[in-house]
Amino acid sequence: MAETIFFNALREATDEEMARDPRVLVMGEDVGHYGGSYKVTKDLYKKYGDLRLLDTPIAENSFTGMAVGAAMTGLRPIVEGMNMGFLLLAFNQISNNAGMLRYTSGGNFTIPMVIRGPGGVGRQLGAEHSQRLEAYFQAVPGLKIVACSTPYNAKGLLKSAIRDNNPVLFFEHVLLYNLKEDLPDEEYLLPLDKAEMVRSGEDITIVTYSRMRHHVMQAVKTLEKEGIDPEVIDLISLKPLDMATISASVRKTHRVLIVEECMKTGGIAAELTAQIIEQCFDDLDAPPVRLSSQDIPTPYNGMLENLTIVQPAQIVEATKKLLDNRI
């Protein structure tokens, strides 16, 4: 075991997969000599050369389209979005090309590519750099969407994503890059379609993902002191949703709180709520509750920014309110 910082866990995964498979390459702005905005590809160009760590122009639509073409011809590209919000410029390439080509080619092409990078609400990055794009892409057929939340799952999930034969959107939260965790010395892979049971409990199911996992666990410390026993699930896979894990938990606790950093309207929690009601209606003792970000552009002002996203105290309050309405 060795203590590893989050961005180095991602770097290790990339390095190991590039060493294992010569078809793996990275492309994006400043991924080569600069080492990436958050140093996920630091010094890898020295090992693998400029063609496998390809510095691109500032043109997300162009290099994402190039990555789709590379995947069609047998390579396994990793596209780094310097900020995931910039990938809105490549929405057509991700949705109409990466997501659909396997189907529209009648299965003649697979699209083994990963699109990864930092997103979420940082600290005073402004509205255009505080995007949560997971809900934008959730309706696109043919994509897998993953949100990592710890150094351990970041490494295992990225290695699996690189090996997958489908396009994977791999969301990293900008405020998690400095997290530290002990990682195994031996190689490990994690499934892309499974949620993680973070904490087993009996009273209520709290479902979350990405940075909000850590806000939830802060809230759990307070709830435990008050004798409340929550079950916590980290979604990990945002598309497809692991409804088997979630449904089993709902059958046990009969109450669900969903905590997300995504916007409430049309967010991940909205889809999850619909599926829980469709599949678990008879097991619910109360309607599912969503805690989501405000439906506004993220303010630059730090105090206002904090008010737009869910805080641990709100999670504690919502949990108590759900439990106070026991039937």
Side-chain angles (χ1 to χ4, degrees):
M1 301 287 282
E3 187 177 66
T4 306
I5 201 165
F6 196 107
F7 66 83
N8 274 336
L10 294 165
R11 182 185 180 280
E12 287 177 11
T14 305
D15 188 9
E16 290 172 16
E17 292 304 303
M18 292 187 77
R20 189 188 73 87
D21 187 344
R23 297 172 298 171
V24 178
L25 71 151
V26 182
M27 60 179 72
E29 297 141 349
D30 291 334
V31 298
H33 289 247
Y34 186 70
S37 296
Y38 294 90
K39 302 306 177 187
V40 171
T41 55
K42 183 180 179 182
D43 293 335
L44 291 184
Y45 80 95
K46 295 178 182 178
K47 293 178 67 174
Y48 302 109
D50 292 343
L51 286 179
R52 292 185 70 193
L53 272 296
L54 186 62
D55 284 322
T56 65
I58 303 173
E60 280 76 11
N61 58 339
S62 298
F63 65 75
T64 305
M66 182 170 66
V68 174
M72 291 173 70
T73 55
L75 299 178
R76 307 186 80 86
I78 305 167
V79 173
E80 178 179 299
M82 183 180 285
N83 180 285
M84 290 298 258
F86 303 158
L87 291 177
L88 288 174
L89 295 165
F91 194 97
N92 179 62
Q93 285 72 26
I94 295 170
S95 58
N96 279 331
N97 301 152
M100 297 188 187
L101 268 166
R102 187 167 187 172
Y103 173 78
T104 56
S105 70
N108 286 310
F109 295 108
T110 57
I111 313 295
M113 64 182 291
V114 177
I115 301 168
R116 55 148 295 270
V121 178
R123 288 198 175 93
Q124 295 185 267
L125 298 179
E128 292 180 1
H129 291 66
S130 300
Q131 296 277 26
R132 289 132 289 174
L133 297 188
E134 53 267 28
Y136 287 60
F137 289 104
Q138 217 217 10
V140 177
L143 300 179
K144 294 185 177 182
I145 305 178
V146 173
C148 58
S149 53
T150 68
Y152 177 80
N153 67 37
K155 182 177 180 180
L157 290 166
L158 183 55
K159 286 173 70 71
S160 295
I162 293 168
R163 298 186 192 189
D164 200 273
N165 283 327
N166 299 283
V168 180
L169 289 185
F170 195 90
F171 286 95
E172 306 149 15
H173 199 288
V174 66
L175 291 183
L176 298 183
Y177 279 129
N178 289 321
L179 279 182
K180 294 179 180 178
E181 188 176 15
D182 289 336
L183 300 189
D185 296 325
E186 65 277 4
E187 182 180 59
Y188 65 95
L189 301 171
L190 295 176
L192 297 177
D193 59 352
K194 298 296 183 185
E196 179 185 344
M197 182 65 68
V198 180
R199 183 188 188 279
S200 182
E202 300 289 336
D203 293 338
I204 185 172
T205 299
I206 304 179
V207 184
T208 188
Y209 65 93
S210 190
R211 183 189 175 212
M212 284 296 124
R213 166 179 174 152
H214 302 280
H215 279 207
V216 167
M217 294 312 293
Q218 285 183 50
V220 165
K221 292 178 182 177
T222 301
L223 294 169
E224 286 175 331
K225 292 175 183 176
E226 301 189 23
I228 296 171
D229 185 25
E231 183 148 288
V232 179
I233 296 173
D234 185 342
L235 284 174
I236 303 291
S237 176
L238 306 183
K239 186 182 180 76
L241 293 167
D242 179 8
M243 288 307 298
T245 297
I246 295 163
S247 298
S249 180
V250 172
R251 285 193 293 271
K252 178 170 63 171
T253 67
H254 309 293
R255 283 173 171 75
V256 185
L257 175 65
I258 306 168
V259 182
E260 65 178 350
E261 196 177 278
C262 200
M263 271 70 71
K264 191 169 191 176
T265 301
I268 298 298
E271 173 62 25
L272 183 54
T273 299
Q275 291 203 34
I276 289 171
I277 290 173
E278 287 174 353
Q279 299 182 34
C280 310
F281 184 81
D282 290 339
D283 297 303
L284 291 168
D285 286 345
V289 172
R290 290 181 284 160
L291 290 181
S292 312
S293 291
Q294 301 289 324
D295 283 337
I296 60 172
T298 303
Y300 175 75
N301 178 281
M303 293 181 67
L304 293 177
E305 179 184 72
N306 282 334
L307 290 172
T308 67
I309 60 176
V310 180
Q311 301 298 333
Q314 293 170 268
I315 301 168
V316 171
E317 181 184 358
T319 301
K320 289 181 180 178
K321 187 174 180 181
L322 253 174
L323 290 171
D324 285 343
N325 291 328
R326 290 177 188 270
I327 295 174

